[in-house]
Amino acid sequence: MEQQNMAAEEIDMGLIEAYLQQLPDKVLRFGMKVLLALVVFFLGIQLIKIVRRIVRRSLKRGNADAGVMQFLDSFIKAVLYVLLIFMIASGFGLDAASVVALLGSAGVAIGLAVQGSLSNFAGGVLILLLKPFRVDDYIKATAVGHEGTVKEIQLFYTKLATPDNHVVIIPNGDLANSSILNMSTLGERRMDISVGISYDADIRVAKEAILKVLEEDSAVLKEKDHMVFVQELADSSVNLNVRCWALNEDYWECRWRVTEQIKYALDEAGVSIPYPQMDVHIDHGT
């Protein structure tokens, strides 16, 4: 019995000695694999950049839409990085077929986990196919309540630049499933400015003063109808609606300037703009 134990101990010591003798070679081989993986990774990054650059140049030569170029660029980048990671993993003995089988068996769980991202990806594809807006269009997404100029259409989201120079990132799925107001499609935009005047003021004098402002402003499109009309008899004022047209690129500056000039014109014409007021009658009856 004692001889058997001694023999077992000798075998264990032999295995340990053999493992220790092979350990430097294994560490060296593993280190070489890690070094090779790093080299492949950095070379792959440079190759991906070259491929993306070639694709962007080809799309530019073909006069492709800026949104299409941004979307395809982000899609190609994601696909190539996934392929690069699989290539490096296979160098460490990972079987790509077994990985694919594992992903297939877990497809339902993965689908539930990334359903939001898949919805955003599908929304981006719909935006590029249907083209409800393009890069540099000014839009308003009614469902999310944001508006601004489209700067980028990416794989999963769209970037808007608001008039106050903020960047809003909206998921493509929300944009594809909501109503979108595109103010840039037709090139011209109508503005409606509400102006309240006193009940004691002469409406005809006020209208003449406002129409003169519209005639003198260079950004107001003269070939389009512009008018001033009574919109509402409100509690404290007679509300006039000033309606005119301007080009999209001139819209905001024209609106601000016309609003200011209307105030000056009404002051010169002696037309007052009243504050909200309320008449209170006290009954002194018994």
Side-chain angles (χ1 to χ4, degrees):
M1 186 68 176
E2 185 177 349
Q3 293 178 352
Q4 291 179 353
N5 291 335
M6 291 179 62
E9 290 178 0
E10 290 177 357
I11 293 174
D12 292 338
M13 291 297 295
L15 291 175
I16 293 173
E17 290 178 359
Y19 177 77
L20 292 175
Q21 289 176 356
Q22 296 175 1
L23 184 60
D25 293 335
K26 290 182 178 180
V27 171
L28 180 61
R29 286 197 297 270
F30 182 77
M32 292 297 295
K33 286 184 178 180
V34 172
L35 181 62
L36 181 61
L38 291 175
V39 172
V40 171
F41 180 73
F42 287 111
L43 290 177
I45 290 176
Q46 299 304 318
L47 183 60
I48 290 173
K49 290 180 180 179
I50 293 173
V51 171
R52 291 172 60 197
R53 193 179 302 120
I54 293 173
V55 172
R56 285 197 298 266
R57 288 177 180 174
S58 300
L59 292 173
K60 285 182 180 179
R61 285 196 297 267
N63 295 322
D65 183 73
V68 174
M69 287 192 290
Q70 292 170 355
F71 185 88
L72 287 179
D73 181 61
S74 57
F75 179 75
I76 291 172
K77 178 181 177 182
V79 171
L80 291 180
Y81 268 104
V82 170
L83 292 177
L84 177 61
I85 292 173
F86 268 103
M87 184 185 303
I88 295 173
S90 63
F92 286 91
L94 185 64
D95 188 8
S98 61
V99 174
V100 173
L102 179 62
L103 291 177
S105 62
V108 176
I110 294 174
L112 292 174
V114 301
Q115 59 181 346
S117 298
L118 292 177
S119 174
N120 293 330
F121 175 77
V125 173
L126 288 176
I127 289 172
L128 292 178
L129 290 177
L130 302 179
K131 292 184 167 91
F133 57 83
R134 302 172 185 267
V135 174
D136 293 331
D137 282 356
Y138 189 92
I139 67 170
K140 180 177 182 179
T142 56
V144 294
H146 293 295
E147 62 179 284
T149 302
V150 179
K151 291 300 181 183
E152 295 182 20
I153 303 175
Q154 292 289 343
L155 198 62
F156 300 108
Y157 58 84
T158 294
K159 286 185 179 180
L160 301 183
T162 63
D164 53 352
N165 203 31
H166 291 169
V167 175
V168 179
I169 299 175
I170 305 176
N172 288 334
D174 293 341
L175 289 175
N177 295 321
S178 66
S179 299
I180 298 174
L181 298 178
N182 191 332
M183 287 78 163
S184 302
T185 303
L186 300 179
E188 301 168 349
R189 189 172 173 185
R190 192 186 80 188
M191 69 178 71
D192 289 273
I193 303 172
S194 181
V195 178
I197 63 174
S198 170
Y199 270 95
D200 296 331
D202 190 327
I203 296 177
R204 288 167 292 191
V205 173
K207 290 175 67 175
E208 289 176 2
I210 296 173
L211 286 172
K212 184 179 179 182
V213 171
L214 299 182
E215 290 290 344
E216 293 178 351
D217 194 286
S218 59
V220 175
L221 298 179
K222 304 303 185 293
E223 64 273 15
K224 290 279 190 178
D225 292 336
H226 50 272
M227 61 185 73
V228 181
F229 55 90
V230 177
Q231 183 179 22
E232 181 186 12
L233 299 176
D235 295 335
S236 303
S237 62
V238 177
N239 292 337
L240 304 180
N241 190 78
V242 182
R243 178 170 293 175
C244 60
W245 295 76
L247 296 176
N248 281 317
E249 56 267 26
D250 300 330
Y251 177 83
W252 287 110
E253 290 186 3
C254 179
R255 184 183 183 92
W256 298 330
R257 185 173 56 250
V258 166
T259 303
E260 182 178 349
Q261 293 301 320
I262 287 174
K263 176 63 169 64
Y264 297 150
L266 293 180
D267 288 344
E268 291 178 1
V271 177
S272 61
I273 300 176
Y275 294 101
Q277 55 187 318
M278 178 183 297
D279 292 334
V280 178
H281 301 275
I282 300 175
D283 187 1
H284 295 283
T286 57

